[in-house]
Amino acid sequence: MNIENAFQIIEDNIDDADFCGPVAPDKIASAEEILGVKFPKSYSMFLEKYGAGDIAGIELFGIIKDPTTDGQMVPNGIWLTLNLREESALPKEFIVVSETGYGPYYVIDTSFKDDNLESPVYTWDTGNQKEKTSDSFGEFLSSLLEESI
């Protein structure tokens, strides 16, 4: 799953990190309800432990405190996902989790779950082009952190 590896990298570099979490499981369930999707296991684990925030210049979108009251700004991934659904035809099964830094977003495609309850991560742009990045959020986050730190 690699989420544990990602968590270890974050903890080893916590002085370079600024996260909002932890987030209570009921707030995560509320976010799933708002978006009409079921989060993959590794993304739920990230939300529960860290919520949202940044590390070493990488901004990770998620839940700040409460998906029903968080402000309409990044790193609120719930708001950003809803906003991009409305303004840019983001498919309803996608969750926006980060930016690439050159235009497209990193998204989780919740329309597919493997045997470990994981969903793939893609780069997605507003022209509705997508390219697979990772088999899971844990793998995505671990790779991103290893490249950046």
Side-chain angles (χ1 to χ4, degrees):
M1 183 186 321
N2 292 328
I3 194 68
E4 291 84 7
N5 183 55
F7 289 171
Q8 188 60 55
I9 294 170
I10 292 170
E11 292 305 317
D12 289 347
N13 296 278
I14 202 70
D15 291 342
D16 295 324
D18 183 22
F19 287 102
C20 307
V23 173
D26 65 309
K27 303 298 183 193
I28 296 169
S30 178
E32 290 175 321
E33 188 174 317
I34 289 166
L35 294 178
V37 299
K38 179 76 174 137
F39 296 151
K41 186 175 180 181
S42 59
Y43 187 59
S44 291
M45 291 169 68
F46 168 79
L47 293 173
E48 191 167 343
K49 188 167 180 113
Y50 296 107
D54 65 82
I55 180 166
I58 302 166
E59 194 148 31
L60 299 164
F61 308 147
I63 300 169
I64 299 170
K65 294 276 183 234
D66 183 331
T68 62
T69 60
D70 287 345
Q72 295 185 351
M73 62 190 163
V74 168
N76 180 347
I78 310 313
W79 164 78
L80 183 58
T81 296
L82 291 172
N83 189 53
L84 287 173
R85 283 179 181 176
E86 186 175 307
E87 293 184 0
S88 301
L90 177 75
K92 291 192 182 301
E93 63 272 10
F94 288 2
I95 307 163
V96 182
V97 293
S98 191
E99 293 177 289
T100 60
Y102 58 89
Y105 293 94
Y106 291 110
V107 299
I108 298 171
D109 181 354
T110 63
S111 68
F112 174 82
K113 294 260 189 325
D114 66 16
D115 293 340
N116 296 316
L117 303 178
E118 292 297 337
S119 299
V121 176
Y122 291 88
T123 56
W124 175 87
D125 67 30
T126 56
N128 238 350
Q129 300 295 313
K130 72 177 188 176
E131 183 176 329
K132 189 172 182 181
T133 303
S134 304
D135 289 329
S136 71
F137 177 77
E139 180 183 298
F140 158 77
L141 184 56
S142 185
S143 294
L144 193 64
L145 293 172
E146 286 174 355
E147 289 172 15
S148 300
I149 295 178

